[in-house]
Amino acid sequence: MDNRHAIGSWISGPRAAAEDMGVEFGYRGQQLGLPEEGPGSVARPGRRFAALFIDWALCLLIAYGLLSGGRAQSASNWTLLVFTVLSVLTVGTVGFTPGKRLLGLRVVAEGGGRISLPRVVVRTVLLVLVIPAVVWDRDGRGLHDRLSRAVQVRL
């Protein structure tokens, strides 16, 4: 008996096994009515991580230079606070943080348009908690985006 196909599907993961059985998942963002590629499509994880890194580095510089008095240990706590304020203010007003803007990303409501301030606050608090941000759905949205009914799209 040849078990190579069963082992291959196990190694490839449940999605690959389901696709082999004929289940059609579609592309990321199809359920949300977004295009597959180009402007308005769901942002890829690499760009989102890079934008987060840029924002965190900016907040770290602000915290270290202006708020911590040059003490590295207290800079990390201040960085988290600066990141929270930056995210709420910028996403709540213009729809993107400086890092997202540099990489051509924007946070929008599921139906399109701007995300409301209460939903921005929920999204930011969940993002700061980290765990919801690393739990993704099949559209590639983190739990923080899903619970705040937001999606990160390309500009």
Side-chain angles (χ1 to χ4, degrees):
M1 176 183 241
D2 188 9
N3 290 337
R4 286 181 289 178
H5 180 51
I7 291 172
S9 66
W10 176 77
I11 291 173
S12 301
R15 181 178 177 131
E19 286 173 344
D20 287 345
M21 291 188 293
V23 176
E24 180 63 38
F25 287 105
Y27 61 87
R28 290 178 186 225
Q30 185 173 11
Q31 291 182 329
L32 301 170
L34 300 174
E36 186 172 1
E37 292 293 327
S41 64
V42 173
R44 298 284 179 200
R47 273 189 173 179
R48 294 183 357 220
F49 282 130
L52 182 64
F53 178 78
I54 291 168
D55 291 334
W56 189 260
L58 176 66
C59 292
L60 182 62
L61 286 172
I62 292 169
Y64 184 77
L66 299 177
L67 301 171
S68 71
R71 294 185 312 269
Q73 284 184 319
S74 67
S76 61
N77 294 332
W78 283 110
T79 302
L80 191 59
L81 179 66
V82 170
F83 179 81
T84 302
V85 170
L86 174 87
S87 184
V88 167
L89 290 178
T90 58
V91 173
T93 56
V94 292
F96 46 76
T97 61
K100 286 183 187 355
R101 181 65 184 122
L102 283 173
L103 295 177
L105 304 177
R106 178 181 216 118
V107 179
V108 296
E110 281 180 349
R114 288 184 32 199
I115 183 171
S116 67
L117 188 59
R119 287 171 40 192
V120 169
V121 171
V122 168
R123 181 185 183 277
T124 302
V125 168
L126 291 171
L127 180 62
V128 168
L129 292 175
V130 177
I131 298 299
V134 296
V135 177
W136 294 0
D137 66 5
R138 65 183 252 198
D139 287 320
R141 294 187 307 161
L143 190 57
H144 65 297
D145 281 333
R146 188 173 177 97
L147 293 176
S148 63
R149 297 189 326 267
V151 61
Q152 293 184 53
V153 297
R154 293 173 50 192
L155 291 176

